[in-house]
Amino acid sequence: MKRFIVTFLALCAAGALYAQKSIGDVIERFDERLSQRNIPTAEIAVGGIYFGESGTNGTAAGWMKDEIAKAAVTSRHIKLVRPSLSDVQAAQAVKSRGLPSGMTAAKAVSSKKKYTLTGKYIENKAKGLVNLTLNLEVTENGETVLFASDTAVIPTAELAEYDLTLYPPNISQAEAIAKDFAKAESFLESKADAGGKSRTLAAVQKQPQEAAPATDTKMQADDAARAEGSSMTAQSDAPAAQDGENSGDAEKSAVQSPKTAAPASSKKENGAVQITAAMLDSENCLADTLHPGDTVKFMVSTNQDSFIRIMGIDANGNTFWLPVKDNFMPADVVRTFPDDEDTDYQVVDGVYGAEHLFIYAATDKSQLPDETSEQKYRPSLITNTTRGITGVKKHKKLTTGVFKISYTVEP
């Protein structure tokens, strides 16, 4: 009898494990849902897959995306496509649900139906499992809804077999920054209601000769860092790029404004400036994982005429500023940065882990944060920086905003 009970429990455990869905099972379920809705083909862009609420990931995220791609090949209704800025705007629209009524997401660039697949995973150490929840969302005419959602279960041993990590080595800093940024966002929402040496991403001068070896951990440029000592500088002796030129394929404003305040706009201002941004790799794909030597660019848009500055925090907690030639952003115009043809944003050393970029926008230049010298991240740095740009001048209403891009640098 005792042996029978033990055998029965073992069979139940095996059955429960068998019932758990793999990534392929989840993709197959999404494919069936598309078939039930009589959708012959859905072009789906795979967005970010992150560990919990950290906004970062480990090497396991890349493996998860590969498994999604393999499963999609055998599906009947799923066609994976490269993500675009409009896919990011769709994701941002989801995030903007529940904001004060005066705040809206950035204007959608297309009314075409778009599908975006994103994921979030957590670890159950007691059971030796990783739960990956995949969400398939569809956006049409500016409205985003959840089309399907399901959870895949991955044995931790399977990830260990491939020597994959769930999160970056500096996960504690990443989680602290995520909480800090959430406080900064809450502060802006409340205002709307009321009315280094270890840098990894650097601005470098484009060189006609072959790239320096990967072991070079210094910024590859002719000049030394600026006297201010910020860990991110534009190093270039080349003539400035002509106005209107752009290193990317996105539209850039022809306006090169010398003013300190954005010109009057016929658009109604809606509280805090809403920013939409995406980081693209050299092949114009959305990037959330980088490696030494990679070059990136950013596509940015705002819903109001604004000025921007870009601050970064590297894996070691050092802050830096990315150089911007013309920081004026006309409302609802997508611009690409770097906006100087002689400058690249490049990963130039071997410091690994989660890193973050913060795009600050303000309708008045004076409200942008100062590009201070290099400093270490400390609790509430983002919140305090955001608080510092929300002042109000006499007889003038000023609006500001902040947007976060997270990425992970891996060997």
Side-chain angles (χ1 to χ4, degrees):
M1 182 66 178
K2 184 176 181 180
R3 179 178 296 178
F4 174 77
I5 294 175
V6 171
T7 303
F8 176 75
L9 292 175
L11 288 174
C12 289
L17 183 62
Y18 179 79
Q20 292 170 346
K21 300 182 182 72
S22 67
I23 292 176
D25 293 333
V26 172
I27 298 302
E28 183 179 353
R29 180 178 178 273
F30 290 172
D31 194 48
E32 292 173 354
R33 183 72 182 277
L34 291 166
S35 178
Q36 294 168 0
R37 295 291 187 89
N38 296 318
I39 300 173
T41 303
E43 295 187 348
I44 300 176
V46 179
I49 296 180
Y50 301 113
F51 174 71
E53 301 296 335
S54 69
T56 61
N57 51 44
T59 55
W63 176 85
M64 293 170 182
K65 289 184 178 182
D66 289 341
E67 291 297 302
I68 291 171
K70 286 192 292 185
V73 170
T74 60
S75 67
R76 293 180 300 162
H77 305 280
I78 295 175
K79 177 183 178 182
L80 296 187
V81 297
R82 288 182 175 182
S84 64
L85 184 64
S86 57
D87 299 313
V88 178
Q89 288 175 312
Q92 186 67 4
V94 175
K95 180 180 177 183
S96 297
R97 294 176 190 163
L99 290 183
S101 59
M103 298 177 68
T104 60
K107 181 180 178 182
V109 298
S110 173
S111 61
K112 180 182 177 181
K113 184 178 291 188
K114 290 182 174 293
Y115 294 85
T116 306
L117 182 65
T118 59
K120 183 186 299 182
Y121 58 90
I122 58 175
E123 181 182 16
N124 187 330
K125 291 184 178 180
K127 295 184 178 180
L129 300 173
V130 173
N131 295 322
L132 168 64
T133 299
L134 294 173
N135 295 317
L136 180 60
E137 295 158 343
V138 58
T139 300
E140 186 175 20
N141 297 322
E143 181 180 1
T144 299
V145 297
L146 182 63
F147 182 83
S149 179
D150 208 342
T151 299
V153 179
I154 307 164
T156 305
E158 184 176 355
L159 300 178
E161 184 179 342
Y162 295 109
D163 197 25
L164 299 173
T165 60
L166 294 176
Y167 41 78
N170 62 337
I171 183 63
S172 296
Q173 175 181 288
E175 291 177 334
I177 290 174
K179 292 178 181 178
D180 193 358
F181 177 71
K183 289 181 181 178
E185 283 191 310
S186 297
F187 175 75
L188 287 177
E189 290 173 19
S190 66
K191 295 292 287 186
D193 280 336
K197 289 180 181 180
S198 56
R199 61 181 176 267
T200 61
L201 186 63
V204 298
Q205 179 183 351
K206 291 183 179 179
Q207 301 292 341
Q209 63 269 25
E210 294 183 2
T215 54
D216 184 4
T217 61
K218 296 181 181 295
M219 181 178 289
Q220 301 158 357
D222 294 335
D223 296 335
R226 291 183 301 181
E228 289 86 345
S230 69
S231 63
M232 188 65 59
T233 56
Q235 304 292 335
S236 175
D237 287 329
Q242 296 296 315
D243 290 346
E245 291 183 351
N246 196 301
S247 60
D249 53 3
E251 180 183 1
K252 178 184 175 185
S253 166
V255 179
Q256 306 292 328
S257 173
K259 302 178 182 179
T260 59
S265 172
S266 59
K267 298 175 64 65
K268 181 180 178 181
E269 294 186 352
N270 308 318
V273 177
Q274 295 297 295
I275 307 163
T276 300
M279 181 168 67
L280 308 180
D281 61 20
S282 58
E283 296 181 353
N284 291 327
C285 295
L286 287 179
D288 55 17
T289 302
L290 301 177
H291 306 274
D294 287 350
T295 59
V296 296
K297 59 187 176 184
F298 301 96
M299 296 176 70
V300 183
S301 69
T302 58
N303 70 335
Q304 300 182 41
D305 290 348
S306 311
F307 299 89
I308 67 166
R309 276 186 184 148
I310 307 175
M311 182 186 81
I313 301 176
D314 72 11
N316 281 349
N318 295 319
T319 62
F320 58 87
W321 297 87
L322 288 179
V324 174
K325 182 181 178 183
D326 171 28
N327 69 340
F328 174 65
M329 295 288 305
D332 297 324
V333 171
V334 179
R335 288 192 56 200
T336 302
F337 298 93
D339 56 343
D340 187 335
E341 65 175 6
D342 297 309
T343 299
D344 276 336
Y345 296 157
Q346 185 179 52
V347 181
V348 295
D349 67 13
V351 176
Y352 306 120
E355 304 199 342
H356 311 269
L357 291 168
F358 299 89
I359 301 174
Y360 288 96
T363 53
D364 190 288
K365 265 188 177 180
S366 65
Q367 296 307 111
L368 290 172
D370 295 330
E371 295 189 15
T372 55
S373 59
E374 180 179 310
Q375 58 179 315
K376 282 281 188 179
Y377 174 75
R378 62 186 184 279
S380 299
L381 173 64
I382 297 112
T383 303
N384 292 338
T385 302
T386 303
R387 288 179 182 274
I389 65 173
T390 56
V392 178
K393 284 189 175 181
K394 208 180 238 184
H395 309 306
K396 180 186 281 188
K397 179 182 178 182
L398 306 177
T399 53
T400 57
V402 61
F403 187 94
K404 178 169 72 76
I405 295 176
S406 298
Y407 57 96
T408 303
V409 178
E410 297 177 354

